[in-house]
Amino acid sequence: MAEIIQRDGTWTFDGDTVRIVPGGKAHPVRQELGEIAVPLEAVAGVSFEPDRKGGRLRLRLRGGACPVLRAADGRLKDGADPYVLTVEKDRTGVAEYFVDEVRNALLIEQVPDTPVDRFLLPGPTLPVSGGGGDGTASFDGESVRLTWNWKAEESKTAGGASTFPLSRIAAVRWLPAIGLENGFLRFEPVEGPVSAPPKYDPYALDLWGMSKKEHTAVLVAAAVLMRLPGARAALDAPQASPALTKAAEPAAAPAGDHDALLRRLRELGELHKAGVLTDEEFSTAKQAVLRSM
């Protein structure tokens, strides 16, 4: 098992799952999201990015696998990204070992790096809440509730808190405040988008970027996104158990007939010769195939 413990959090890998536990002083988004178990099938790649202070360990997920990343649409800063770990200078060797272990597993299991058609991670735990600026959003799996504070416009506060069921939501979008531009958490009703700016839209929170806590609105967006009709259908589709999935895979070559494994060895040799695999990666993968034989 590979493990790296840092102030930013702890990452472990047992060959099947990358388990991510946020540190005590991690960004609020990571704190609220809590522990994440990332199955190997959801991983597209992993890398260590060194710098003068140590570096960053970065887990790259397959497109569409994580509802939080889908809701963020590439707008999460590294500090808020649950799949980035700040590594101290004296732990860079451990980080590089972690990368090797995950890469070898991806190679041996031949996990593709292509996008997926369903979420492979469960997303935020319900109920979930977040936001800032002129109010707070909460979602219990069935309804969204927007509670306004004293800074909200009268067009929002006049009717009190807004509550609407998931069935009335056609889409959700999160945009963080950037520079002097406000952000928003906006729910588009099924009858059509509201033309008013987020500041006056009763279906939106206006985000001002005054604190890191505002970024937790992305967790509400993720929880709603994965339960919208299109995503819900994919999530509700029956999934085979690990045992059935394994049984459906091509059977291992029987004794005396190792053609499939020999082909795999030739493929590994070609990848090594082409420079795609390092000597160590090639050796590890080759040993795994030989053990199967």
Side-chain angles (χ1 to χ4, degrees), residues 191-203:
E191 53 267 27
V194 176
S195 59
K199 182 178 181 179
Y200 303 102
D201 181 0
Y203 290 93

Side-chain angles (χ1 to χ4, degrees), residues 15-16 40-41 105 108-111 239-253 261 288 292:
D16 296 311
L40 190 63
E41 66 171 329
I108 292 170
E109 297 298 328
Q110 299 185 56
V111 178
Q239 301 298 325
S241 67
L244 290 174
T245 301
K246 192 68 177 177
E249 294 174 354
L261 295 176
S292 298

Side-chain angles (χ1 to χ4, degrees), residues 63-64 66-77 81 119 172-176 178 184 218-219 221-222 225:
C66 174
V68 175
L69 294 187
R70 179 79 172 273
D73 195 23
R75 299 185 183 95
L76 275 183
K77 295 181 179 179
D81 191 332
F119 293 121
V172 58
R173 187 180 177 208
W174 172 79
L175 180 71
I178 301 175
F184 57 80
V218 73
L219 301 181
L225 176 65

Side-chain angles (χ1 to χ4, degrees), residues 150-273:
W150 64 273
K151 293 172 282 189
E153 294 292 327
E154 187 177 354
S155 59
K156 293 182 174 182
T157 61
S162 298
T163 302
F164 38 93
L166 188 64
S167 58
R168 285 195 59 201
I169 302 173
V172 58
R173 187 180 177 208
W174 172 79
L175 180 71
I178 301 175
L180 298 177
E181 295 293 326
N182 288 356
F184 57 80
L185 171 64
R186 183 170 234 163
F187 302 93
E188 181 182 313
V190 292
E191 53 267 27
V194 176
S195 59
K199 182 178 181 179
Y200 303 102
D201 181 0
Y203 290 93
L205 291 183
D206 201 24
L207 304 179
W208 303 338
M210 301 299 289
S211 72
K212 292 181 179 180
K213 192 73 174 176
E214 279 194 13
H215 279 70
T216 55
V218 73
L219 301 181
V220 180
V224 171
L225 176 65
M226 67 185 300
R227 288 167 178 82
L228 290 177
R232 186 73 260 170
L235 288 171
D236 286 341
Q239 301 298 325
S241 67
L244 290 174
T245 301
K246 192 68 177 177
E249 294 174 354
D257 183 10
H258 293 165
D259 288 351
L261 295 176
L262 289 173
R263 282 198 300 272
R264 181 61 181 151
L265 281 175
R266 284 196 292 271
E267 291 172 0
L268 292 172
E270 292 170 359
L271 291 171
H272 179 240
K273 186 176 180 180

Side-chain angles (χ1 to χ4, degrees), residues 81-153:
D81 191 332
Y83 307 107
V84 176
L85 179 70
T86 299
V87 177
E88 296 165 15
K89 199 167 187 178
D90 62 344
R91 305 297 287 171
T92 57
V94 179
E96 290 170 347
Y97 172 74
F98 191 97
V99 167
D100 288 341
E101 289 294 293
V102 176
R103 282 181 176 172
N104 287 336
L106 290 171
L107 177 65
I108 292 170
E109 297 298 328
Q110 299 185 56
V111 178
D113 60 1
T114 52
V116 296
D117 59 2
R118 61 184 177 89
F119 293 121
L120 299 179
L121 284 91
T125 302
L126 297 178
V128 61
S129 64
D134 61 357
T136 301
S138 59
F139 178 59
D140 61 6
E142 296 181 356
S143 299
V144 171
R145 182 177 176 83
L146 300 179
T147 305
W148 314 115
N149 59 34
W150 64 273
K151 293 172 282 189
E153 294 292 327

